């Protein structure tokens, strides 16, 4: 009964992948670990500079800061010059 369940699940997976239903899935192998050429700091820097979401958030922050500066200028009006 357990073998029938496995065969049914394999057939469903093969069908979902567009393969012949009776194709063998094979046995999983242990993944091979490979050295990664970049450090975590380099990857974070690259993600930060290439992320469209971060760039969009930075623009939102810059816009909000500009609004704050404008509000400060309106709140503290410039005094007329006393030079004559």
């Amino acid at each position: 009964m357990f073998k029938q369940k496995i065969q049914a699940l394999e057939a469903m997976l093969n069908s979902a992948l567009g393969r012949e239903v009776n194709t063998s899935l094979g046995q999983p192998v242990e993944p091979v670990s490979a050295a990664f050429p970049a450090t975590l700091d380099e990857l974070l820097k690259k993600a930060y500079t290439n992320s469209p979401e971060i760039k969009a958030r930075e623009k939102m922050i810059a816009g909000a800061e500009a609004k704050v500066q404008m509000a400060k200028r309106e709140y503290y009006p410039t005094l007329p010059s006393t030079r004559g």
Side-chain angles (χ1 to χ4, degrees), residues 16-78:
L17 294 172
R19 297 180 184 165
E20 180 80 25
V21 176
N22 294 328
T23 305
S24 175
L25 291 178
Q27 294 294 319
V29 294
E30 190 69 31
V32 179
S33 64
F36 204 70
T39 65
L40 179 60
D41 289 334
E42 292 171 339
L43 293 173
L44 288 172
K45 184 177 179 182
K46 192 172 199 176
Y48 184 78
T49 57
N50 293 330
S51 172
E53 185 175 340
I54 291 175
K55 288 178 183 178
R57 302 267 176 159
E58 285 176 339
K59 287 182 181 181
M60 287 174 50
I61 291 169
E65 287 173 347
K67 286 181 183 178
V68 168
Q69 291 302 319
M70 228 186 316
K72 284 181 179 179
R73 281 191 214 118
E74 289 176 8
Y75 185 75
Y76 299 114
T78 56

